[in-house]
Amino acid sequence: MTSVLRLFSGKWGRRIVIGTPYLWLGVFFLLPFLMTLKIAFSTSIVGIPPIGPISTITDDGALQITLHLENWSYLFQDPMYVLAYGRSLLTALITTVLCLFIGYPMAYRIARATPGARPLLLMLVIMPFWTSFLIRVYAWMGILKDNGLLNNLLLTLGVIHQPLILMNTQIAVYIVMAYAYLPFMLLPLYTTLEKMDLSLLEAAQDLGGRPFISFLLVTLPLSLPGIIAGSLLVFIPAVGEFLIPTLVGSPGHQLIASVIFDEFFSNRDWPTASAVATAVVLFLLLPIILLVWLRNRNDSKLLATGQ
């Protein structure tokens, strides 16, 4: 035991601690990504696996690598892929905006609650995660169907006279995705708002600022890191969401995740499916790079002002 503690407290211990996240990313992100990228440059064949090699050994012993770019050209020439990308981005954007408008007041109220009430309120936010994601989506199917809980409630109250058609529409997709991804927006916002210096709001009020003006000029700018982090946590997985649009969305409104599924398992066109998946990953790296840049700029400003 003593030797183990001595190992982790020394130079090798620091290397193990620092290297473990890199090892995790290398094994579970970089390696699968490189394998997918390799398949994206191969050709589709009839066989197991249904992909051709990209490297061959010629008769004179030289290594010949052939990269097939036709899989990538489909992404820009076939309207199906372009529409699927556009629909996925629009769905993720609307989901992010809905989560922001719903999650910001909730996070603000939790952050301004008494210290004793905050853990209970946060528990209520996290509690749905104790249930299976699939069960929660099926529960929403029961709520949104023609004779579901929502339509029966509205009919009983006399708000509507015939059931609303919600299932298998984009409205159902937006509702369920906003519900599923709301905690990813709320928790970063709560962390930012809870740490905010309230004396700044008191100073704004002493200077004659009305509550709404103080919110726009003080609270909102200071909560910008939480807004950016929450938006990315919602937007990035929402682009590749597969289960919710498949179960509650319209079958004719195909998103990029269902396109990848069909190419892999229905058409067995692994190279095209890999090219589509790789393009999604590369596209989603842009907001991550933007987040890192904004965070570094914010840290530089704080260091420059001595805060």
Side-chain angles (χ1 to χ4, degrees):
M1 186 66 181
T2 305
S3 59
V4 173
L5 292 175
R6 188 178 301 168
L7 174 64
F8 278 91
S9 61
K11 181 174 63 176
W12 280 104
R14 291 193 294 273
R15 289 179 178 177
I16 292 173
V17 172
I18 296 173
T20 300
Y22 290 102
L23 179 63
W24 179 277
L25 290 174
V27 173
F28 293 106
F29 174 74
L30 184 60
L31 184 60
F33 177 75
L34 293 177
M35 293 173 64
T36 306
L37 186 63
K38 172 182 173 294
I39 296 173
F41 286 105
S42 64
T43 55
S44 180
I45 63 172
V46 178
I48 301 175
I51 52 173
I54 63 171
S55 61
T56 54
I57 303 296
T58 60
D59 295 337
D60 54 357
L63 177 63
Q64 182 178 6
I65 297 177
T66 305
L67 301 178
H68 300 274
L69 301 178
E70 61 269 20
N71 304 318
W72 298 86
S73 64
Y74 292 151
L75 306 185
F76 305 98
Q77 296 175 358
D78 194 329
M80 181 186 71
Y81 298 114
V82 178
L83 285 175
Y85 274 116
R87 289 168 181 162
S88 298
L89 293 176
L90 181 62
T91 302
L93 180 62
I94 293 175
T95 302
T96 304
V97 173
L98 289 175
C99 288
L100 178 61
F101 276 94
I102 299 172
Y104 199 103
M106 293 176 63
Y108 188 88
R109 185 67 189 91
I110 296 174
R112 297 295 173 266
T114 60
R118 291 175 195 167
L120 176 61
L121 295 174
L122 288 175
M123 182 70 70
L124 293 176
V125 174
I126 301 172
M127 192 175 292
F129 280 85
W130 296 356
T131 309
S132 168
F133 181 74
L134 183 61
I135 291 177
R136 282 182 280 149
V137 177
Y138 271 108
W140 271 105
M141 293 173 66
I143 295 173
L144 298 175
K145 63 184 181 181
D146 294 349
N147 59 347
L149 180 64
L150 180 61
N151 274 319
N152 287 333
L153 177 63
L154 295 177
L155 287 171
T156 303
L157 295 176
V159 179
I160 58 175
H161 300 289
Q162 58 182 4
L164 299 174
I165 300 176
L166 296 173
M167 276 298 297
N168 301 324
T169 65
Q170 274 302 103
I171 295 177
V173 174
Y174 298 144
I175 293 174
V176 181
M177 288 185 67
Y179 161 79
Y181 289 102
L182 182 61
F184 296 103
M185 175 68 76
L186 193 147
L187 293 177
L189 280 172
Y190 164 76
T191 303
T192 304
L193 293 169
E194 195 268 339
K195 293 179 180 178
M196 197 177 71
D197 188 359
L198 297 180
S199 62
L200 297 174
L201 290 176
E202 295 174 359
Q205 292 176 358
D206 293 341
L207 294 173
R210 296 181 177 179
F212 183 68
I213 300 298
S214 300
F215 171 79
L216 289 180
L217 298 181
V218 179
T219 304
L220 191 60
L222 291 178
S223 61
L224 194 57
I227 294 175
I228 295 173
S231 299
L232 289 177
L233 288 175
V234 173
F235 182 81
I236 291 174
V239 172
E241 176 61 44
F242 172 75
L243 186 63
I244 295 175
T246 302
L247 292 180
V248 303
S250 172
H253 201 86
Q254 203 170 26
L255 302 183
I256 199 64
S258 59
V259 170
I260 295 173
F261 180 88
D262 289 343
E263 293 291 354
F264 259 112
F265 298 103
S266 300
N267 302 332
R268 290 185 61 79
D269 190 351
W270 288 17
T272 302
S274 298
V276 175
T278 304
V280 173
V281 174
L282 293 176
F283 181 79
L284 293 180
L285 282 176
L286 293 177
I288 297 176
I289 294 173
L290 177 63
L291 172 64
V292 173
W293 178 75
L294 289 174
R295 180 172 295 177
N296 291 336
R297 192 183 69 166
N298 187 48
D299 292 343
S300 301
K301 286 184 177 179
L302 291 177
L303 290 174
T305 56
Q307 296 180 2

